[in-house]
Amino acid sequence: MHMQIQRSSEWKEGFVDRLENRQPWDSWTLYKMCYEVEKAKLIEDFYGLQSPKYLPELKPYAHQLEAAETVIERMNGKAILADEVGLGKTIEAGLILKEYLIRGLVKKALILVPASLMNQWLEELNQKFHIPAMQYSKKYDLNACNIVVASLDMAKRSPHKENIYSQDYDLIIIDEAHKLKNHKTKNYEFVQSLKKKFCLLLTATPIQNDVFELFHLISLLKPGHLGNFETFQVAFSASKHNVEEDEFLKELINQVMVRNSRQDTLNEWTSRRIQNIPIEFSDQEKEVYHMLSELKNVSPQFSDAFSTITLQREICSSKEATLVTLLKMREKCSASEEVAYIDELLGKLNALEVNSKAEKAYEIIAKANDKVIIFTEYRASQEYLQSYLYSKGITSVLFNGKFSKNKKEWMKLLFKEKAQVLIATESGSEGINLQFCHHVINYDLPWNPMKLEQRIGRVHRLGQEHDVHIYNLAIQHTIEEQILNLLNTKIGVFEKVVGELDDILSGFKLSI
């Protein structure tokens, strides 16, 4: 195929026509229009946000705009966005990304998120911010993909890791960044090795168990900002659950962290109504609990404190959860006295006909006569609770980390449209928004107070129109009392270093 290229002579004809007929050489109207276009594109001052002008359909809240301004103007694009759950950290990150794109300071960005949040991020970036983000795929040439959303769990593995390392990203955004709390994990190592000019870490819970988690997060953003690990320990007399010089430490942290609480916003928030509900074991349950606690004295094989605590927590949840662990332990038994003790325990477990905690949960659900979320730590307890509630005429659906993305969406829809109760394991406290529900039962207490905040944040967030009722169940004179005491200690560390927590956690300061 031959293509003939010719020079256009139209410019010459126009030039001669204007010259010979004395026609005007310019158009004042067109000039003014061009001038206005160029002026609109000009950013005369570094301060203030340009992005809202380009997002007429997005109506961000004042605290979200202020957070974006703070990160860009004061923190040089390296920050932890640590607003309380439900205040819109995704919107803040989107505003910052959009701002840097408009200013030409960012051309390539990588957003790392849990797999369950991929669709949510892609939808928000494309529809709300008009940012052409695409899902990572090894089939694509990353050189041609400017804004990429990827699952952190997938991105850290080969060959994806090497593919991503080959890129020079201007901005890295990491959602649910508390998953980087352990500096010895592959997640942490992967993010630390990424080339990045700007970096945003999104987490409502920058401290989950101890103060060193925050040290490692900040070290990802600005290595040396808090000194090295040894210096940090000495300067702030830091231990896992204590820190001194907390005002100076807060000042350093505030240089890299933006945190808005619900009280900081101008929005009208519904209340959290908390009840810590003590439960008394039946005599039969007490006997089984005591036998499980004594298991460590039967044989050195069972002296592991972790195994004892696990069994104690499980029996506080359900005999079904306990049976799973106990049967595994029996398989490892060799001595006849060990087998005999466990067989006796199994017999007493199977004979249990009462679950005092489940009965209390049913009582709460019946009284609420409304949608209720139950959070449990164990899938065996999940299945037991569904069966138990069904026997009482209560419809329920399950939600756990083993479900596919589509199944999770289906369970959420069934809960909204059909079932009265959603029974969720910990994975249900991350990435789903359930503002249509306003009753939460913490059936099992976690060691980590921030997990409770994540759970409650599923319902107590922007868009919630009702007061949220929180019921914390705890068996008296068991491991769950120790959990409450430790939660108290961890809350104290968080409030010392980061700031006040909402009522659900301060409610634990009341002893049961």
Side-chain angles (χ1 to χ4, degrees):
M1 177 179 176
H2 297 283
M3 184 179 293
Q4 190 173 6
I5 300 175
Q6 293 181 333
R7 286 187 180 179
S8 170
S9 60
E10 286 184 14
W11 69 271
K12 185 176 180 181
E13 293 163 6
F15 176 78
V16 172
D17 187 47
R18 285 166 188 258
L19 188 65
E20 291 180 349
N21 297 312
R22 296 183 178 274
Q23 291 184 9
W25 290 90
D26 56 34
S27 166
W28 179 242
T29 302
L30 288 176
Y31 172 79
K32 283 195 297 182
M33 288 172 68
C34 286
Y35 175 81
E36 291 300 326
V37 168
E38 291 302 316
K39 185 179 178 182
K41 287 162 60 180
L42 183 66
I43 301 174
E44 298 174 336
D45 191 350
F46 185 79
Y47 296 96
L49 296 179
Q50 304 296 316
S51 50
K53 293 189 296 190
Y54 297 89
L55 302 168
E57 296 173 9
L58 181 70
K59 305 296 180 189
Y61 292 96
H63 72 272
Q64 294 167 340
L65 292 168
E66 188 178 335
E69 284 186 11
T70 299
V71 171
I72 289 169
E73 295 173 8
R74 285 183 32 220
M75 297 180 176
N76 194 30
K78 294 181 178 179
I80 298 173
L81 298 179
D83 287 1
E84 288 185 336
V85 178
L87 292 187
K89 292 181 288 295
T90 308
I91 298 296
E92 293 169 2
L95 284 168
I96 293 165
L97 173 57
K98 187 73 173 181
E99 189 71 22
Y100 277 139
L101 288 168
I102 290 169
R103 293 174 182 270
L105 295 172
V106 166
K107 290 188 167 51
K108 287 182 76 70
L110 174 67
I111 298 99
L112 297 169
V113 305
S116 60
L117 301 183
M118 290 268 289
N119 288 346
Q120 182 182 321
W121 269 93
L122 288 164
E123 184 179 321
E124 296 219 345
L125 289 174
N126 281 283
Q127 294 182 12
K128 288 186 179 177
F129 293 95
H130 308 296
I131 295 172
M134 60 190 301
Q135 184 172 335
Y136 170 82
S137 171
K138 63 180 180 182
K139 298 175 184 175
Y140 301 150
D141 178 5
L142 287 185
N143 292 309
C145 305
N146 289 332
I147 313 296
V148 176
V149 181
S151 156
L152 176 57
D153 285 336
M154 182 178 71
K156 71 184 179 188
R157 299 195 302 265
S158 297
H160 317 295
K161 177 174 66 174
E162 290 76 16
N163 200 11
I164 290 170
Y165 278 164
S166 68
Q167 301 296 307
D168 290 319
Y169 286 105
D170 301 307
L171 172 63
I172 304 289
I173 299 174
I174 298 156
D175 197 8
E176 304 295 349
H178 48 266
K179 294 190 174 181
L180 302 173
K181 62 185 179 181
N182 187 344
H183 68 293
K184 296 179 181 177
T185 60
K186 288 186 178 180
N187 280 355
Y188 192 95
E189 181 187 341
F190 169 69
V191 172
Q192 193 174 39
S193 302
L194 288 170
K195 302 170 197 165
K196 47 194 177 289
K197 183 164 61 176
F198 306 118
C199 184
L200 302 176
L201 303 179
L202 280 59
T203 174
T205 55
I207 293 178
Q208 293 208 329
N209 286 298
D210 65 65
V211 72
F212 298 123
E213 295 168 354
L214 183 57
F215 169 82
H216 293 305
L217 280 182
I218 291 175
S219 296
L220 269 181
L221 283 177
K222 289 190 171 181
H225 184 71
L226 298 178
N228 61 31
F229 189 76
E230 290 74 21
T231 305
F232 175 74
Q233 278 183 299
V234 172
F236 301 104
S237 301
S239 62
K240 287 181 74 171
H241 299 145
N242 189 41
V243 66
E244 294 177 11
E245 300 290 342
D246 45 291
E247 288 307 313
F248 178 46
L249 180 57
K250 268 187 181 177
E251 185 180 328
L252 287 174
I253 290 168
N254 287 337
Q255 292 172 13
V256 292
M257 185 169 76
V258 176
R259 179 172 174 82
N260 290 302
S261 67
R262 292 172 186 85
Q263 286 69 32
D264 296 332
T265 68
L266 299 175
N267 305 80
E268 296 245 348
W269 283 91
T270 59
S271 300
R272 290 185 176 187
R273 303 192 179 277
I274 308 152
Q275 293 183 53
N276 292 337
I277 301 175
I279 298 165
E280 185 76 28
F281 261 156
S282 68
D283 290 341
Q284 291 79 10
E285 288 171 312
K286 285 179 184 175
E287 183 184 5
V288 172
Y289 184 87
H290 177 72
M291 286 186 70
L292 288 168
S293 302
E294 288 298 310
L295 190 60
K296 62 181 180 293
N297 299 322
V298 173
S299 166
Q301 181 177 325
F302 303 132
S303 61
D304 177 25
F306 178 76
S307 298
T308 302
I309 290 170
T310 298
L311 287 166
Q312 288 174 329
R313 293 189 70 204
E314 287 171 342
I315 192 59
C316 287
S317 181
S318 70
K319 71 177 184 182
E320 286 74 12
T322 317
L323 282 166
V324 173
T325 302
L326 207 54
L327 287 169
K328 288 179 182 176
M329 293 176 73
R330 190 188 186 284
E331 290 175 5
K332 299 177 182 177
C333 289
S334 53
S336 57
E337 62 271 19
E338 295 172 358
V339 174
Y341 191 87
I342 289 185
D343 282 345
E344 184 184 357
L345 251 175
L346 289 169
K348 290 187 180 295
L349 267 176
N350 285 316
L352 278 179
E353 295 181 357
V354 173
N355 184 321
S356 300
K357 191 188 274 188
E359 287 180 352
K360 179 58 72 174
Y362 166 67
E363 186 183 312
I364 293 166
I365 293 164
K367 187 176 179 181
N369 193 28
D370 201 351
K371 302 281 184 186
V372 179
I373 303 175
I374 299 178
F375 283 104
T376 176
E377 297 273 290
Y378 310 103
R379 286 205 295 274
S381 295
Q382 240 193 339
E383 292 168 5
Y384 161 73
L385 284 168
Q386 185 173 47
S387 174
Y388 173 75
L389 292 175
Y390 179 77
S391 73
K392 299 287 188 180
I394 304 289
T395 55
S396 64
V397 292
L398 305 184
F399 195 100
N400 64 53
K402 291 291 184 182
F403 291 174
S404 67
K405 198 184 327 180
N406 289 339
K407 188 170 182 179
K408 285 179 179 179
E409 287 298 318
W410 177 237
M411 291 299 107
K412 179 181 169 182
L413 182 63
L414 283 177
F415 177 45
K416 186 175 183 179
E417 303 292 340
K418 301 286 185 184
Q420 184 183 349
V421 176
L422 183 140
I423 308 169
T425 55
E426 211 57 60
S427 67
S429 65
E430 197 171 85
I432 57 168
N433 304 330
L434 303 165
Q435 292 95 322
F436 58 84
C437 175
H438 42 276
H439 291 270
V440 177
I441 297 176
N442 288 310
Y443 183 84
D444 296 322
L445 297 172
W447 292 106
N448 180 351
M450 298 303 112
K451 286 188 176 181
L452 285 170
E453 178 62 19
Q454 288 281 358
R455 291 175 180 182
I456 296 158
R458 298 306 102 215
V459 298
H460 197 224
R461 57 195 302 113
L462 290 170
Q464 178 57 263
E465 298 175 355
H466 302 272
D467 287 351
V468 176
H469 299 266
I470 316 299
Y471 312 91
N472 301 311
L473 309 188
I475 311 287
Q476 290 180 300
H477 314 301
T478 68
I479 186 70
E480 292 190 332
E481 283 193 342
Q482 296 176 40
I483 292 173
L484 283 175
N485 290 333
L486 187 58
L487 286 169
N488 243 339
T489 302
K490 291 178 178 179
I491 290 163
V493 173
F494 190 101
E495 292 187 332
K496 258 188 174 183
V497 176
V498 179
E500 290 294 315
L501 290 164
D502 212 334
D503 287 346
I504 178 54
L505 299 174
S506 61
F508 278 118
K509 292 171 185 173
L510 303 172
S511 60
I512 63 169

